[in-house]
Each structure stands twice: as structure tokens, then as C-alpha cells.
Amino acid sequence: MTTVLPPEPLADRARTLTPFETGPGTPAGRYLRSFWQPIARSVDLEAGQAQPVTIMSEELTLFRGESGRPVVMDALCPHRLTKLSIGNVEGDAIRCQFHGWKFGADGRCVEAPLQTPALLERVTIGTRPVREEFGLIFVYLGEGPEPEFPDIAAYSRAHGYGLASAPVLEAEVYRRYCNWYLNHENSMDLAHVPYTHALSANPELTRTGFSGDAAVVRDFTVERLEYGVRVEEVDDEGLHARVTVLFPNVMHLIIPMRIGTLENLYWRVPIDDESHKGFGIMSIHTDEEGAREWRQTQKELEEVAAKYPLTEDCAQQIIRGEKRLIDFVDHPKLQGIEDALTQQAMRHIADANLQNLGRSDRAILQLRRMFLSRVAEFVAGEPSASDIWPS
Ligand code: FES
Ligand SMILES: [Fe+2]
């Protein structure tokens, strides 16, 4: 059951906090680390493959053992501190490229050529709890034992959808060259849609992207919930968009489409304080015919996408004045370029005090107050700050 609460003021103890800085030891960083966070798509990590990962300014090694098990451990080999991700996966262990020390998935050093047996007893590498769900690999970076994993399917069901059995269900990822919180706030900013996405909503020019419906300026409602903030655009014609931010960094999006209903869950995960990734579980609730049509269109669009740089790089070209948005009108991810454009053109860490917020920004303001208050509660050790979403 959703409980709608009156607007929340900013708690006094939260006034000096910031959501922008998330490196190790920062208040917002510690808060985000107390939840499971996605670090990669499953399809981007083959068995036997290792890769470096940076999350919240922290470097890690991610690899998939030959059994298929994903493993996350510290970035550097404890011997001479080179990156373990350049090493080789053997079984469910990884061997350092430099002098061949080998570490099991539990972090124990199981081989160290030319060293004494005592060294094997002594040396370990830090590992992190890992889960693989809905095509995404999640890691827990917080202090203490890992929390319960959010029941994503139950949350969807409780809101009238069946994410787990949607005919179209895919994991998505993109990178954006701006602070994570700018994108998180954008979730609450329905006023951006008719302008930021004016081009992709134009059916005369584009065959993909938002429907023309998105270019209409409509008012929206804002609700404070126990676990986040919800904005909704609804009028006599019905629902146009419903976006819920689930603390700390998840967006749940519902948008009616011609072939059904789009339901997305997106995590905004800082890479560092000046860039982040969006990891999504994208679903379309449609019939078999709708799913077939969508897959066919996607296949065609992938071929077109291969001709272009990534969305974040297209946006940078526009920001530098080398290109215009219209130059990317055929880009299958035009909407992504549009969002990247406005967000990357902000300062990486926006000075909130210089902004002039008005009525259409009330959801942004509510999110800021609530987010910082949760960070303050977390720092003070209050357990309510670590609540996961209700189902
Ligand atoms: S640095 Fe890794 S084995 Fe020497
Ligand atoms: Fe947008």
C-alpha cells in the first residue's frame, strides 16, 4: 500500500550535506554503499573474462569464473599492486599477470610461485558480495553484512505490472559525463520532457523515440512517499507518465506506448563525481505481436546505431559546437542524446544555491530534501535510512 505524506522540510542536520560527492567515506557515498548497486550487465561479462570497474570513485576487479560465477574483488594485487583485472581467470579464481599469484573467489591466495607456504596463510584480497538479477550484476560495498536484495518482481506486481514475465525484458546500460545526481533529479523533472525531447517527439522527423504526445506541456502531481517521491502526468485522456524515485538511487518509470506499456527500473550509479552510469531493467508489457514488432525494429535500429558515436559522445560534440542536435535525428537513441545534452551541459556538480527553482521544480526540491535527510539519518546510524522498497 502506498502512503502519501505531506511535503518534508529539509532536516537541520542535513543542511551541510551534499548528494554530489560519493567517494569512499563521504556521507552520500556511505549511504549509497549501504544498498546493492549494479556494476555491469550480465551480457557484457563472459565466463573467463575479467574487467576493471570504477564505482563511486573506487576501483575494483570484476570477473566471471569459468563456472559462470561473477566475482568482485579489490582492484590491486596485494603483491606489488598491479591491476588484477589484467590477469587471467582460471576456474573461479584469478591469476595475476605480473608474478602469477592466484586468488580464489573467497579472496584467499591459493598459489604464489617461489614464495613460502606461510605467505599463502597470510595474504588475502578483499572481496565483495555479488548478486546477478534481471541481467545485471550487483555488488554490495557497504559496511557489515549485505542487506536483503530488493524484491523487484514483487514491487512491479504491487503496482499492477508483471516485470518478471514481460514479453520484452532487457538489461540496459549507458554512461553519462555528469554527476549522477543531476540525472537522478531529472527523473523528477517532467517539465523537461516537452522541450528537451521536442525533436525525438516529432513524428515528421523521427520514427523512434518518444511519441508526439511527449511534446505537449502538461502539469503534473507530486507525492511524497515513505520510500521516495512520485510524479505523475495524468489528465482526462488517462496516464501519460508516472515516475517514482525509490531511495536512494532508483527510478521506476511507467509510460504508455502504442504497443503496450513501458516499465523501466533504472539505477543511477556514480563512476566518480563527474560521470555515472545508468543501469536499467527495461520491460514492455505487450502481446506477442507487439514484442515481435519491437524486436524487429530494434534489430534495424542497431544497424543504424553502429554508424554513430555513443550518446554521451554525440552530446559532447554538440556542447563543443561541432554538431547540432538535428545532425543526430536518425540516431536510434536520440532521446538519450537529448538527456545527455542538457545534463552534460550543466556543471558536473551543480551549485544548487545559484539555481532559481520554481513551481515546476517542486518534485526536485522534495527529492533534495528527502535524499539529504536520509543521508543524515544514515550517518547518525538510524536504521530507517536503510529501508528497502516496499513490495
Ligand atoms: S603483482 Fe601480482 S603477483 Fe606480483
Ligand atoms: Fe529526458
Side-chain angles (χ1 to χ4, degrees), residues 186 192-193 196-197 210 335 339:
N186 194 65
H192 87 278
V193 177
T196 300
H197 299 296
F210 282 169
Q335 283 170 255
D339 278 321

Side-chain angles (χ1 to χ4, degrees), residues 28-48:
R30 287 180 54 211
Y31 176 50
L32 288 178
R33 281 171 175 78
S34 72
F35 296 80
W36 287 96
Q37 298 292 347
I39 45 165
R41 285 193 311 174
S42 300
V43 294
D44 295 329
L45 186 68
E46 288 172 17

Side-chain angles (χ1 to χ4, degrees), residues 70 115 139 199 216 260 358 378 380:
Q115 308 292 347
V139 66
L199 182 59
V216 180
F378 177 80

Side-chain angles (χ1 to χ4, degrees), residues 259-291:
I259 59 166
T261 302
L262 176 76
E263 181 185 18
N264 277 357
L265 270 167
Y266 255 91
W267 283 254
R268 273 64 189 258
V269 184
I271 298 171
D272 51 32
D273 291 341
E274 299 192 343
S275 61
H276 71 279
K277 283 188 175 174
F279 287 101
I281 302 171
M282 189 282 288
S283 71
I284 302 176
H285 302 289
T286 180
D287 55 19
E288 225 171 85
E289 178 55 33

Side-chain angles (χ1 to χ4, degrees), residues 131-152:
R131 288 280 293 256
E132 195 160 16
E133 304 277 348
F134 288 93
L136 294 173
I137 299 171
F138 291 80
V139 66
Y140 175 66
L141 299 171
E143 301 142 24
E146 66 266 33
E148 206 180 313
F149 196 82
D151 193 340
I152 291 168

Side-chain angles (χ1 to χ4, degrees), residues 171-349:
E172 297 184 331
V173 64
Y174 61 78
R175 180 180 50 177
R176 203 159 277 172
Y177 303 130
C178 66
N179 187 276
W180 78 280
Y181 195 74
L182 301 183
N183 196 7
H184 198 39
E185 282 193 331
N186 194 65
S187 311
M188 294 282 91
D189 187 5
L190 290 186
H192 87 278
V193 177
Y195 296 95
T196 300
H197 299 296
L199 182 59
S200 64
N202 186 337
E204 300 297 312
L205 288 171
T206 57
R207 57 185 280 251
T208 59
F210 282 169
S211 69
D213 188 46
V216 180
V217 181
R218 291 187 201 88
D219 205 358
F220 53 90
T221 58
V222 181
E223 296 172 341
R224 174 162 78 96
L225 312 171
E226 283 168 335
Y227 53 88
V229 185
R230 174 170 298 151
V231 291
E232 205 169 72
E233 238 184 53
V234 59
D235 62 14
D236 297 344
E237 293 165 24
L239 178 75
H240 296 280
R242 178 187 302 139
V243 191
T244 309
V245 160
L246 302 141
F247 285 124
N249 60 331
V250 184
M251 170 189 77
H252 181 242
L253 171 74
I254 299 287
I255 295 186
M257 302 168 72
R258 184 177 52 77
I259 59 166
T261 302
L262 176 76
E263 181 185 18
N264 277 357
L265 270 167
Y266 255 91
W267 283 254
R268 273 64 189 258
V269 184
I271 298 171
D272 51 32
D273 291 341
E274 299 192 343
S275 61
H276 71 279
K277 283 188 175 174
F279 287 101
I281 302 171
M282 189 282 288
S283 71
I284 302 176
H285 302 289
T286 180
D287 55 19
E288 225 171 85
E289 178 55 33
R292 208 175 15 251
E293 181 188 328
W294 187 85
R295 282 200 190 89
Q296 180 56 34
T297 310
Q298 285 309 108
K299 216 171 126 211
E300 291 164 21
L301 294 178
E302 271 165 31
E303 285 162 24
V304 180
K307 294 191 302 189
Y308 288 100
L310 298 171
T311 53
E312 63 271 33
D313 295 315
C314 296
Q316 286 304 104
Q317 290 178 351
I318 302 169
I319 291 166
R320 288 195 299 267
E322 298 161 7
K323 296 263 188 194
R324 294 179 308 149
L325 186 58
I326 192 77
D327 295 330
F328 299 107
V329 69
D330 291 327
H331 196 301
K333 294 188 176 164
L334 178 58
Q335 283 170 255
I337 297 174
E338 291 167 337
D339 278 321
L341 178 60
T342 50
Q343 292 169 31
Q344 292 178 186
M346 296 174 83
R347 292 188 58 200
H348 291 308
I349 295 181

